[in-house]
Amino acid sequence: MERKASRRENECEEKYSNSESSELDKDYRTSLITLNVGGYLYITQKQTLTKYPDSFLEGIINGRIMCPFDADGHYFIDRDGLLFRHILNFLRNGELLLPEGFRENQLLAQEAEFFQLKVLSEAVKSRWEKEQLAARETTFLEITDSHDRSQGLRIFCNAPEFIAKIKSRIVLVSKSRLDGFPEEFSISSNIIQFKYFIKSENGTRLVLKEDNTFVCTLETLKFEAIMMALKCGFRLLTSLDCSKGSIVHSDALHFIK
C-alpha cells in the first residue's frame, strides 16, 4: 500500500512538473511576436514591442489598434521593411545606433513618427541637425613645414570625412616613403607638419628627409587631392589664392559638393 501511494505521488509530481513546463513553454512561445513589415519578417519579444506605452506597436500588441494579418497570420504593417531594423534596434537598446555613413535620417524620422516613438523621433532629428551643421562648416587640412608654416598647402572642404580621407592618403604615402616615421613628420587633427620641407632651385617645394631622400612635391599632393575630390563627387570651388595664376601654383584649394 505504501509503495502504491508513493508511486501515485511520484506520478502526480511528474504530471505537475510536465504541466508546469508546458505552461512555461506556452508562455514563452506566446511572448514571441512575428511582424511582417513591408514584406520583411521580424521576430521579437512582446516586451520589446510594448516598451513604450502609447506607441503604435504597443497599441497593436495590446489590442488598442487594429492591424491586418498576412497569409501566415503575422501582423502586417505597410511600412519600410528595411528601415524597421533601426526601429527595432532602438526598442531593444534604448538608444539610437546607426551604421557609419547612414544617410536616411529624414526617412527614419518619418518612420519614428508613424510608430509614435517620440523619443526616437527627437534623437533622429537631433542627429540630422548635427550632420547638417557639420556639412555647413568648412574643415581644413594644412600640410606645412615645421620651420616655416607660411609655406605649404591648405585644403578646405565642407565635408569632414573627405578631409579625413585625404589626410589618411597623405599619411599612408608618406609613411611608406619615410623610414623614420613618425619622427620625420608630426600629425595633429588638422595639420601635417614635415620636419624637412625644403625648396629646390627651380622654386618647387619638395618634401624630403634629412638625408635628401625624395618623397614628393606639393604639386603632386595638389593633383592627388583634386583627383580624389572629383572621384568623390566634389568640385573645385576656387583657388583661394588666385594671384598665383594657376591651381598648380596656388597655396590653397577649396572643394564643395
Side-chain angles (χ1 to χ4, degrees):
M1 289 293 292
E2 288 181 1
R3 288 181 181 178
K4 288 183 179 180
S6 177
R7 189 180 303 161
R8 288 197 192 97
E9 288 177 1
N10 291 335
E11 289 175 353
C12 288
E13 287 178 359
E14 186 175 348
K15 287 180 180 179
Y16 178 77
S17 177
N18 291 336
S19 175
E20 188 178 40
S21 177
S22 177
E23 288 298 321
L24 290 173
D25 290 342
K26 183 179 179 180
D27 290 342
Y28 180 74
R29 286 195 299 271
T30 56
S31 72
L32 295 180
I33 305 294
T34 301
L35 301 176
N36 180 342
V37 183
Y40 290 82
L41 295 181
Y42 291 90
I43 301 176
T44 186
Q45 296 186 71
K46 180 178 180 180
Q47 65 188 42
T48 301
L49 298 176
T50 57
K51 186 173 183 178
Y52 291 89
D54 300 324
S55 69
F56 181 83
L57 294 169
E58 183 272 334
I60 288 176
I61 301 303
N62 290 331
R64 291 189 299 101
I65 298 175
M66 297 297 294
C67 181
F69 296 90
D70 65 11
D72 296 317
H74 307 312
Y75 289 108
F76 177 76
I77 304 174
D78 191 16
R79 301 300 296 184
D80 192 317
L82 286 174
L83 282 179
F84 187 74
R85 163 197 171 195
H86 306 302
I87 301 288
L88 192 55
N89 280 335
F90 174 78
L91 294 175
R92 289 166 173 161
N93 301 316
E95 61 179 319
L96 180 61
L97 300 172
L98 296 174
E100 184 178 350
F102 183 80
R103 289 291 180 268
E104 297 183 302
N105 292 303
Q106 189 172 5
L107 289 174
L108 184 57
Q110 290 178 344
E111 295 302 295
E113 289 180 6
F114 173 82
F115 286 103
Q116 300 171 20
L117 293 166
K118 186 177 179 181
V119 178
L120 174 58
S121 180
E122 291 175 350
V124 175
K125 288 179 180 177
S126 175
R127 181 181 188 274
W128 189 13
E129 289 172 357
K130 288 179 181 178
E131 286 187 353
Q132 293 294 309
L133 181 61
R136 289 192 295 269
E137 293 179 347
T138 299
T139 306
F140 76 94
L141 174 65
E142 182 178 327
I143 305 160
T144 186
D145 184 348
S146 60
H147 302 293
D148 184 3
R149 289 189 60 180
S150 65
Q151 301 294 331
L153 171 65
R154 291 160 187 80
I155 301 171
F156 296 82
C157 184
N158 65 339
E161 65 275 10
F162 177 66
I163 291 294
K165 188 173 183 178
I166 290 182
K167 178 181 175 181
S168 297
R169 173 64 179 166
I170 292 172
V171 170
L172 178 65
V173 172
S174 302
K175 182 177 179 180
S176 67
R177 297 181 181 180
L178 292 172
D179 296 333
F181 177 84
E183 290 80 7
E184 303 296 343
F185 65 94
S186 60
I187 307 169
S188 64
S189 58
N190 294 96
I191 299 176
I192 299 177
Q193 277 193 340
F194 284 89
K195 187 175 180 181
Y196 305 104
F197 198 30
I198 64 176
K199 189 174 183 179
S200 65
E201 293 180 0
N202 62 2
T204 302
R205 291 189 63 79
L206 306 175
V207 179
L208 298 107
K209 291 177 63 178
E210 188 177 17
D211 60 2
N212 291 333
T213 302
F214 173 77
V215 178
C216 62
T217 67
L218 277 180
E219 285 70 23
T220 302
L221 297 180
K222 291 172 189 176
F223 282 121
E224 179 89 9
I226 291 171
M227 293 305 297
M228 287 179 65
L230 294 177
K231 287 181 180 179
C232 293
F234 291 91
R235 60 190 175 91
L236 180 62
L237 181 65
T238 181
S239 165
L240 295 185
D241 187 357
C242 298
S243 63
K244 300 291 184 179
S246 168
I247 292 176
V248 174
H249 298 103
S250 66
D251 295 329
L253 302 172
H254 191 176
F255 299 107
I256 194 170
K257 182 175 284 189

